[in-house]
Amino acid sequence: LLKNAGEGPVWRPVPPEVRERFRAPAPRAPGSVEAIYAEYLRDILPYRMGNIHPRFWAWYMGNGTLTGALGDFLAAVMNSNVGGGNHVAPLVEAQVIDWMREVVGLPKGTSGLLTSGASAANLIGLTVARNARAGYDVRGDGVRAAPGPLVAYASAEVHSSNHKAVETLGLGRDGLRAVPVGPDYRIDLAVLERQVAEDRAAGAVPFCVIGNAGTINTGAIDDLPALADLCARERLWFHVDGAIGAVAILADSVRPQLAGIERADSVALDLHKWMHVPFEAGCALVRDEAAHRAAFTLTPEYLAHEADGRGLAAGAFWPSDYGLQLSRQFRALKVWMSVKEHGLDRFGRMIARNVEQARYLGRLIEAEPRLSLMAPIGLDIVCFRFDPGGFPPAALDRLNQEILIELHEQGIAAPSATTLGGRSCLRVAIANHRSRDEDFELLVREVLRLGEALAPGAAQGSA
């Protein structure tokens, strides 16, 4: 499957007859493994998402590796619960966390936890931030005891997982202020500073600023040193959402853009994106171990940790003390094996190649009059659209939306869509270790072909 990942369509829809088979009730009698595997080959494998294909650039996903898959298999065979205890799995997780700490540049003693992804890692970071900067015992008294509305800040381009986290923390939709961005899609620092001052004057309790190490729409990196300075002045927690680009610090060509991330109080990482660990693999890092532990630890008598280092209930690192989950899979093994196999420097070279591929695609787009870039290229994300001229804005939006669907349904390529400046466009997130220059050349040719074929219908639809 992986050897021939570039063959066949990137994606294909699930046919009605296959969908119908997934409505069947649970079997009451046993079945043979051979028959079950045959069903998998017939009804499941052909209709995958497509993110192992070299022309998959939708949303922002890694493409997996064979060693990572093997790590998942071996972890499942061991079937370890990594909530805690005196066994090897927490040691592996602790080592992986320390590796990620070194990558980001946080100091020794930094705490961490492997998570399902950056959504969970953002929730952990923001939970610690709220509890550490609220000025009172949030765990004991709850958010209802806050002297004023607790408020976090992020650019309008921040990932939706941060909004969900703030809402989950009981702070409401207004608990996260969306600060405008400039033409480069980075947070407007002057507006941010003014908003913090105005909120304090109105009786609110600012507690955190979220910086983007790569935004989801365009890959823009906020001015992290300036945000760190502001947080230090205002005594705010500095959280960095690094799901898109934090690991790009491994690439020599990108590292200067990420300066300042080492000053964060907490960082969220996605290892199943640009490090291609099979889903799921994220990481939360927290500079203040005591604050991290204080936000989550709860040890009833049936989970008492043996202090003398003997027996199964011993173990210095109980991951359940640093997050919500007690039952946790051994996700560290696939990360550990992947890093051992490839080495961090090789990941850096691969990331640098993707960044250069984004620039190459940008040059192809700029050389074609019927295509237009919609934003500066940040890291490895390219936003553009087909625009032959003479179309009303709404019709041009519909045309590009239809081009995207045709790219998907014909199995040609899988970019995604977004809206920038109120206008629809194609979004190509190039975090794919299997992509080659010819894949981007094909994408440009096919967008032009589809655009010309669809343009008359789009023009009639605008009448």
Side-chain angles (χ1 to χ4, degrees), residues 293-310:
R293 184 183 176 90
F296 292 102
T297 187
L298 181 65
T299 308
E301 67 279 359
Y302 49 84
L303 292 176
H305 311 347
E306 292 294 337
D308 62 2
R310 298 178 63 197

Side-chain angles (χ1 to χ4, degrees), residues 381-396:
I381 299 178
V382 183
C383 296
F384 75 104
R385 66 177 178 172
F386 178 78
D387 184 359
F391 277 76
L396 194 58

